[in-house]
Amino acid sequence: VDGKHDPSSILILGCGNSRLGEDILHHYLDMQETNLLSAAPKIIQCDISTNVVNSMTKRYQKYIDKNMMSIIQDDATNFTILNDFSMDAVVDKGLLDALFCTDREDLIQDVFSNVHRTLKVGKVFMFFSLSRPEYLLKHTRKNKDESSAFERNDIVWSEVDVRELNSIFMYRFKKGEVVGTHRIPPPLHGVKQQLKRGRKKFHSR
């Protein structure tokens, strides 16, 4: 997941009935078979819907029995099951877009806060969105002061990358570690400036 260590757990937010978790699992199983990976990570699929959880549990029972996958019912804006510093990666491909369309930016901020809490330091939250960075990124922070765009005293993202993939954007947030109270957060204006130049990759440190 971070290119240096084999991941042990990957969380899929708002999984719905998607096969994304299964595809990720098979990707790592293929790597394991070719000795590129010592062990495939456990895929933890999360959704708030009871019907979805029941359906996905039935579909993936064979992986659940082998402890390769878990299907859990939880709220991404307020996790009650997942422990702090327990995930090697968190992935989303639609939940944040759905929340963005509701104009409930507080819920987007809650998702970021919960994801940050469950990620191990140095690990990554990656999500895919149809929303452009200049509109979406400002909704990921609780402090409206741009100098604190990606950081509070208890939440630090050490790297923020945005890449344009055809008609969708891939966002990658790497969890940092608070050291004292004077860290310099990645500047939001840096992302905006690169967008104006029409580049396919946007990177903020």
Side-chain angles (χ1 to χ4, degrees):
V1 173
D2 58 9
K4 298 179 181 179
H5 306 286
D6 295 351
S8 60
S9 56
I10 298 177
L11 173 66
I12 312 293
L13 295 181
C15 62
N17 292 312
S18 169
R19 294 190 179 274
L20 176 63
E22 180 182 7
D23 291 341
I24 292 174
L25 177 60
H26 280 289
H27 168 74
Y28 282 108
L29 288 174
D30 289 343
M31 292 180 65
Q32 185 178 355
E33 288 182 2
T34 55
N35 296 319
L36 295 176
L37 194 72
S38 59
K42 184 174 183 178
I43 306 299
I44 302 172
Q45 306 212 58
C46 174
D47 202 280
I48 198 171
S49 167
T50 301
N51 290 337
V52 166
V53 170
N54 291 339
S55 174
M56 294 289 276
T57 298
K58 183 177 180 180
R59 179 195 293 177
Y60 293 122
Q61 192 62 56
K62 63 179 180 180
Y63 297 127
I64 295 172
D65 291 343
K66 294 178 181 179
N67 200 34
M68 295 179 174
M69 185 181 291
S70 292
I71 314 294
I72 64 173
Q73 184 173 6
D74 210 344
D75 182 352
T77 66
N78 184 27
F79 288 140
T80 59
I81 297 176
L82 300 170
N83 295 324
D84 295 0
F85 305 101
S86 60
M87 294 292 114
D88 287 290
V90 179
V91 179
D92 169 52
K93 72 172 190 65
L95 174 62
L96 287 172
D97 262 2
L99 295 178
F100 185 65
C101 292
T102 67
D103 292 326
R104 287 288 307 276
E105 64 181 58
D106 58 313
L107 296 180
I108 296 176
Q109 295 156 4
D110 287 342
V111 170
F112 268 78
S113 179
N114 275 275
V115 167
H116 189 278
R117 177 175 61 80
T118 58
L119 275 174
K120 299 174 184 176
V121 173
K123 302 304 181 179
V124 170
F125 175 32
M126 185 173 70
F127 63 94
F128 300 89
S129 174
L130 296 172
S131 301
R132 294 185 63 82
E134 63 264 43
Y135 302 118
L136 179 61
L137 289 177
K138 62 184 179 181
H139 294 289
T140 66
R141 67 190 193 274
K142 293 190 176 181
N143 189 335
K144 296 304 180 183
D145 178 2
E146 188 166 304
S147 66
S148 300
F150 301 107
E151 173 172 10
R152 296 203 322 264
N153 287 337
D154 58 336
I155 295 181
V156 177
W157 300 106
S158 61
E159 294 179 17
V160 179
D161 291 284
V162 185
R163 299 193 185 196
E164 187 174 4
L165 309 174
N166 296 321
S167 59
I168 199 167
F169 291 90
M170 181 185 76
Y171 293 79
R172 181 180 180 273
F173 283 64
K174 184 176 181 180
K175 180 175 179 175
E177 185 172 10
V178 175
V179 180
T181 59
H182 301 290
R183 287 180 54 89
I184 300 175
L188 183 58
H189 62 78
V191 176
K192 289 181 179 177
Q193 289 172 353
Q194 294 186 61
L195 274 169
K196 292 178 181 178
R197 293 198 293 268
R199 295 174 59 181
K200 290 295 183 180
K201 178 182 177 181
F202 316 109
H203 178 66
S204 174
R205 286 183 183 272

